[in-house]
Amino acid sequence: MLHDLLVGRTPVGERVWDIMRIIDWALETQPVDPDKIVVSGHSGGGTATIYAGAVDTRIALCMPSGAFSSYEKSILAMPHCECNYIPGMLNLGNMGDLAGLVAGRHLCVIQGKEDSIFPLDGAREEIEKAKEIFAAAGKGSCELAVGDGGHRYYKEPAWRFIKKNLSVF
């Protein structure tokens, strides 16, 4: 992963590129409804999910898990995997601003109540910023789903959010 930095790339950028190419492949070769593309992942996958949702408007519903908090309370507060770092990101905004780039579509941030590396209080602060951006956009939905535990994926709120917002079942 660190080799990416030597050539001016980031690990999360490479992962977002992969997600976008998988969507291309699925749309070209599979019976996929282009209006119901969902991306979700946990931890490093959650980081890739939020960035992919920010840049690829084909993603109708974005659900990062275990990867959302203020940078000050998570990435800057303790050692993290290099996949979480984007050079200059704090000059552009915080996680709530990044999440706001999903506005007009659907975003459900899944977070554990006891997540020690992406603290819930920072997630609550940043989701409020994102909700303001979503309200200004006038469409889409933005939620924080809190699981009763630590740093893991909580599938129940994920499926509830999908069923509520995409009518897939």
Side-chain angles (χ1 to χ4, degrees):
M1 281 196 276
L2 291 176
H3 294 115
D4 291 328
L5 298 174
L6 292 173
V7 294
R9 298 179 183 190
T10 63
V12 71
E14 295 290 324
R15 290 176 181 175
V16 168
W17 177 260
D18 290 344
I19 290 169
M20 294 171 73
R21 298 301 63 86
I22 289 168
I23 293 170
D24 290 342
W25 170 82
L27 289 170
E28 290 172 15
T29 66
Q30 304 299 307
V32 173
D33 183 338
D35 296 324
K36 294 184 177 179
I37 295 173
V38 175
V39 175
S40 188
H42 178 69
S43 201
T47 299
T49 295
I50 190 72
Y51 280 97
V55 301
D56 191 335
T57 57
R58 298 175 298 176
I59 298 169
L61 196 148
C62 178
M63 291 188 304
S65 168
F68 191 87
S69 190
S70 68
Y71 291 126
E72 295 81 7
K73 292 184 178 177
S74 61
I75 307 300
L76 294 173
M78 64 200 76
H80 272 269
C81 170
E82 54 273 2
C83 67
N84 289 294
Y85 296 90
I86 304 276
M89 187 62 200
L90 275 177
N91 296 325
L92 302 172
N94 213 312
M95 289 297 284
D97 303 298
L98 177 64
L101 294 173
V102 181
R105 294 170 285 140
H106 302 288
L107 171 70
C108 180
V109 171
I110 303 167
Q111 206 67 22
K113 186 186 332 180
E114 305 296 327
D115 192 325
S116 62
I117 61 174
F118 288 95
L120 183 57
D121 62 331
R124 289 184 200 269
E125 291 168 12
E126 293 303 312
I127 202 71
E128 290 307 312
K129 292 178 189 176
K131 285 180 179 181
E132 290 176 20
I133 298 168
F134 272 74
K139 63 180 187 172
S141 58
C142 179
E143 292 182 15
L144 173 65
V146 180
D148 193 26
H151 186 72
R152 69 175 189 81
Y153 195 90
Y154 297 90
K155 66 180 180 178
E156 294 82 13
W159 282 114
R160 260 194 318 273
F161 191 78
I162 289 171
K163 289 175 183 178
K164 180 173 85 176
N165 289 289
L166 288 187
S167 305
V168 288
F169 300 107

